Amino acid sequence: MKKIQSIHLHVFRNDEHCEYHVVFGDLVPQFKTVEELVATLFLTHTNLLNREKQLLNTMHKSDYTKLIAEAAHRVDHAIIGMRGVVEATLHHFNPATAEAARSILNRIDAFGHLTRKAYEEETIDVNLLIEDFQGSYAAKVTLVGLTAWVTELQAAETEFETLLGERSVESAHKPQEQFRDVRREIDDVYNRMVDRINAAATLDDAGAYYEFVDQLNAQITYFNNHAHQRARKNLSAGEACVIEPIDLQHYTGKAITPVPAVHYREEGKPTVELVFGKDFTTTYRNNVNVGMAEIVVHGKGGYRGQKTVTFAIARI
């Protein structure tokens, strides 16, 4: 007995989801026995698929999702860069400068892990931090040499908030929500057709369905494999993966192997701190002698790809 395999439609990206239903919609009319068996449901599927294509085209016309993600990464990089400067200044030869750095670092830490927060919460805290740095902490910011970073953070945050506002206006018709509804409806219709075909394939004259099942299963295998590989988040792609700066390392004559703090951020979700050994592993280059060394972060488990960060080794 042959049976149509399960397919993980819920994990498919919008383009993949639509593409699979197009493949299914093209395959059914090639087998008249199948088409007659599911005729009424298939008509509903065709209408829903046309609606899905329309909504997908509408969403593709908007670049706001990508632009907002890029702006959010710019904010996060400014925060991480700012923190790196402050931490490096904690060991400044001038006691007043070192004390100013400690005070600034304490203020940053008071907001918790900013880069891991959801967009709305991070926006509030970043604006409060900017207000402090331009007000009561202004002298300390100047002493530590953080003025340019504060300017960069403010510019990045302004860009981010502007894009969010523009997308809110554009989203008045909420095509994303409509698309999710259509996805659920077309998947339900598809599953009902699959149940009907699988039931027919158990009968004595099921041979009329076997070739259809074989061809559809081949497509299902392809789509499932592709979705599984894609579902592993790629550390190499874009700026979703953020590796915090590594402190200056002391020369010991032996291999220096610091484990970096690695974060991964998806649009609209809090930043995730990756766990060493579970989510990533590391390899090192030029990490014995004085100079610049490299850490290569390799994705593991639910993550793939790799990203490289440098750090300094010095005689201190």
Side-chain angles (χ1 to χ4, degrees):
M1 180 185 73
K2 294 191 176 184
K3 182 179 179 181
I4 297 173
Q5 299 172 5
S6 297
I7 185 166
H8 313 307
L9 291 169
H10 63 284
V11 302
F12 284 9
R13 289 178 173 171
N14 291 338
D15 286 322
E16 296 168 338
H17 184 272
C18 188
E19 182 183 354
Y20 176 75
H21 280 291
V22 168
V23 168
F24 177 81
D26 288 342
L27 186 62
V28 169
Q30 298 177 35
F31 297 85
K32 294 303 179 184
T33 304
V34 175
E35 187 177 25
E36 291 172 0
L37 179 68
V38 297
T40 302
L41 289 171
F42 187 66
L43 178 59
T44 302
H45 179 275
T46 301
N47 292 334
L48 287 170
L49 181 56
N50 288 335
R51 179 60 176 154
E52 183 172 356
K53 291 176 183 177
Q54 292 171 357
L55 290 169
L56 189 61
N57 183 56
T58 298
M59 291 188 294
H60 279 170
K61 291 179 180 179
S62 172
D63 292 327
Y64 279 112
T65 297
K66 179 180 179 181
L67 291 174
I68 287 171
E70 291 173 349
H73 290 315
R74 183 183 170 191
V75 172
D76 287 349
H77 277 291
I79 293 170
I80 292 171
M82 182 182 297
R83 187 182 183 88
V85 172
V86 175
E87 288 179 344
T89 312
L90 290 174
H91 307 289
H92 199 279
F93 63 85
N94 185 330
T97 302
E99 178 57 34
R102 275 190 291 273
S103 178
I104 291 173
L105 187 59
N106 288 336
R107 187 55 186 149
I108 295 174
D109 287 343
F111 289 96
H113 296 288
L114 281 171
T115 60
R116 303 181 199 177
K117 295 183 177 181
Y119 283 168
E120 295 79 6
E121 187 179 1
E122 182 180 353
T123 293
I124 294 171
D125 289 348
V126 167
N127 280 304
L128 289 173
L129 190 61
I130 292 171
E131 183 178 336
D132 286 344
F133 284 167
Q134 293 179 336
S136 58
Y137 283 76
K140 295 176 182 178
V141 165
T142 300
L143 189 59
V144 172
L146 213 60
T147 303
W149 279 105
V150 174
T151 300
E152 165 62 15
L153 179 60
Q154 185 174 37
E157 181 60 31
T158 299
E159 177 189 19
F160 173 72
E161 292 180 28
T162 299
L163 288 168
L164 273 183
E166 291 174 350
R167 185 173 69 173
S168 296
V169 173
E170 183 201 51
S171 300
H173 297 98
K174 299 181 179 179
Q176 293 88 351
E177 292 183 14
Q178 295 177 40
F179 191 89
R180 285 195 293 269
D181 291 340
V182 171
R183 276 188 62 146
R184 284 192 292 267
E185 290 182 48
I186 196 171
D187 288 351
D188 177 66
V189 171
Y190 167 81
N191 288 329
R192 289 159 63 190
M193 285 190 286
V194 167
D195 289 342
R196 186 167 295 184
I197 296 168
N198 281 339
T202 65
L203 302 177
D204 292 338
D205 59 347
Y209 301 98
Y210 282 0
E211 185 179 355
F212 173 82
V213 172
D214 286 341
Q215 290 194 31
L216 184 59
N217 280 344
Q219 293 293 335
I220 289 173
T221 298
Y222 168 80
F223 275 88
N224 277 342
N225 289 341
H226 181 73
H228 174 72
Q229 177 63 18
R230 190 265 308 148
R232 297 179 66 211
K233 300 176 177 64
N234 189 359
L235 302 185
S236 307
E239 298 181 338
C241 175
V242 178
I243 304 175
E244 294 191 7
I246 304 296
D247 291 340
L248 180 67
Q249 301 294 305
H250 297 189
Y251 171 78
T252 64
K254 299 180 181 179
I256 307 295
T257 57
V259 176
V262 182
H263 304 99
Y264 192 91
R265 181 166 196 169
E266 295 181 272
E267 191 224 348
K269 298 181 181 179
T271 297
V272 176
E273 182 171 2
L274 274 58
V275 178
F276 177 69
K278 175 186 175 184
D279 301 319
F280 73 95
T281 59
T282 54
T283 56
Y284 300 84
R285 300 170 183 156
N286 305 319
N287 61 323
V288 175
N289 297 321
V290 171
M292 296 303 297
E294 291 184 345
I295 303 176
V296 183
V297 174
H298 305 269
K300 182 179 178 182
Y303 298 86
R304 60 189 173 93
Q306 63 184 44
K307 195 164 188 176
T308 302
V309 64
T310 60
F311 66 94
I313 301 174
R315 297 181 187 272
I316 300 178

